[in-house]
Amino acid sequence: MNVRRLIPSTAVAGAVVLGLTALSACSTSDAADGGNGDKLKVTASFYPMQFLAEKIGGEHVAVTSLTKPGVEPHDLELTPRQIGSISESDYVLYLKGIQPAVDDAIKQSGVKNTVDAATLTTLENHGSEVSGHDHGEEGDEHGHEGEEAHEEHSEGDGHNHGEEGGADPHIWLDPVKYAEVAKGVGTSLEKADPDHAADYKKNTDALVAELGELNTAYETGLKNTATKTFITTHSAFGYLAERYGLTQQGIAGIDPEAEPSPARIQEIHTIAEKQKATTVFFETLASDKTATTLAKDTGLRTGVLDPLEGITDKSRGADYIEVMESNLAALQKALGAK
């Protein structure tokens, strides 16, 4: 997956280092100074971080998300008021590399309890068009196609951030990796607010169990399918594809609204025929124009696969778990699950 548009090399350098950022104890009395009574004032960068903070923090936290519903998080620009609110937080949870404006503001904020979710699991590099290429002969064949496509898009995408630009930040779309992050967030909240450590641990355990059930549902639901290949306008599903032995074919790199080249359209058409792909997926926060055009040109269906960067009234579910279940149903239909 090509994420060079999102992640400057300077951001990636720190994003793959494992371990929590420095945390210092913040008692409930400290939180009270933030104007939220005895609740810990938490700032989350965008929805996947907000969901973790709310589920694990429970009644002991007051969570504010910097990215409002319906806003494409990659393009977020912060207001002076939002930048000020970060500095007033007791605890900040973000994912470095997704939102450069947020990364910069957090760096300047001086908040001691700052957690980068990318440090709580292992980030990986995914090919521009392909994931899951470790799965036998079929995967090797896909991997070869992906390398060719990657070379094609690398030459002309205009986003040259050097060799470090390949780290994929979309860790929340893999329930296993998201559970790893959840455990780290739980531990950090226990340290930040030790008075409620027992509740944070209980909530973390409950969420990790829920994510475990989601992972099992994906494993079972995608085990036997007519094809392993899916096509998407937003190459956000590299970790998900790798986890469940699938192959992601992105239309035009990371930009969900980018126009594919005629050569890429023909390439997708060939791949779709060869791998029996049926569906071009688009997302809820971006135009379906590219997907519709490609589907028309290739005779494929269109469908929604939500990268879960935000929840709106158009989302197929009220929260992370529900939307991921909708994604599973969409993949099962597109891949011909048996």
Side-chain angles (χ1 to χ4, degrees):
M1 170 184 151
N2 184 356
V3 295
R4 286 173 297 176
R5 183 173 77 87
L6 299 186
I7 313 178
S9 56
T10 51
V12 176
V16 295
V17 180
L18 290 176
L20 285 170
T21 50
L23 291 170
S24 64
C26 170
S27 69
T28 49
S29 59
D30 291 330
D33 295 336
N36 274 298
D38 57 356
K39 291 191 175 184
L40 199 72
K41 186 176 180 183
V42 175
T43 296
S45 57
F46 72 131
Y47 178 71
M49 302 298 103
Q50 175 190 347
F51 178 77
L52 290 179
E54 290 175 344
K55 292 286 282 188
I56 296 171
E59 64 183 7
H60 304 303
V61 300
V63 181
T64 300
S65 177
L66 295 172
T67 308
K68 302 305 176 191
V71 173
E72 221 290 328
H74 302 309
D75 302 325
L76 180 69
E77 295 294 335
L78 297 176
T79 65
R81 174 175 285 188
Q82 285 179 307
I83 293 172
S85 73
I86 295 173
S87 301
E88 295 167 5
S89 303
D90 301 308
Y91 178 100
V92 177
L93 179 61
Y94 74 117
L95 180 56
K96 192 172 183 178
I98 283 279
Q99 300 168 291
V102 173
D103 296 350
D104 292 342
I106 290 172
K107 191 185 297 183
Q108 303 295 325
S109 70
V111 177
K112 292 178 180 178
N113 293 302
T114 299
V115 177
D116 171 13
T119 66
L120 303 177
T121 186
T122 307
L123 266 67
E124 299 171 10
N125 296 343
H126 291 129
S128 178
E129 272 33 271
V130 137
S131 287
H133 48 267
D134 295 326
H135 302 277
E137 294 178 7
E138 180 186 21
D140 291 338
E141 183 179 330
H142 292 169
H144 178 66
E145 290 167 359
E147 286 164 15
E148 291 174 355
H150 181 63
E151 288 169 9
E152 175 189 332
H153 291 287
S154 294
E155 291 171 5
D157 65 7
H159 304 290
N160 182 17
H161 294 297
E163 294 179 357
E164 295 175 310
D168 181 352
H170 296 87
I171 48 179
W172 67 92
L173 291 167
D174 173 355
V176 176
K177 281 194 173 294
Y178 199 45
E180 290 175 2
V181 174
K183 290 176 184 177
V185 171
T187 300
S188 67
L189 279 171
E190 289 175 40
K191 292 178 180 177
D193 182 14
D195 289 355
H196 299 116
D199 285 347
Y200 295 140
K201 187 175 189 331
K202 179 182 175 183
N203 293 344
T204 300
D205 290 344
L207 177 57
V208 168
E210 203 171 358
L211 292 172
E213 291 174 3
L214 182 65
N215 173 52
T216 300
Y218 266 79
E219 284 183 336
T220 305
L222 298 174
K223 192 171 186 179
N224 296 308
T225 56
T227 179
K228 296 294 183 185
T229 299
F230 64 95
I231 301 165
T232 176
T233 56
H234 187 180
S235 301
F237 301 92
Y239 290 107
L240 185 150
E242 187 171 20
R243 178 66 60 191
Y244 304 111
L246 307 178
T247 297
Q248 168 184 253
Q249 288 285 351
I251 293 174
I254 192 62
D255 188 343
E257 298 189 39
E259 291 291 335
S261 67
R264 183 57 180 159
I265 290 176
Q266 182 55 48
E267 189 177 26
I268 289 288
H269 184 63
T270 301
I271 291 168
E273 284 188 335
K274 188 176 181 181
Q275 306 300 340
K276 298 182 175 60
T278 65
T279 307
V280 180
F281 286 116
F282 62 95
E283 59 173 285
T284 49
L285 294 184
S287 168
D288 65 350
K289 180 182 175 184
T290 301
T292 302
T293 300
L294 182 64
K296 184 179 178 182
D297 290 343
T298 57
L300 301 173
R301 298 194 299 261
T302 58
V304 172
L305 199 60
D306 196 329
L308 264 158
E309 293 175 343
I311 294 285
T312 70
D313 55 4
K314 294 180 180 179
S315 299
R316 299 186 176 187
D319 63 10
Y320 172 87
I321 298 292
E322 289 185 5
V323 175
M324 282 293 284
E325 289 171 343
S326 294
N327 281 348
L328 172 57
L331 282 168
Q332 286 178 300
K333 181 180 178 181
L335 300 174
K338 299 167 185 175

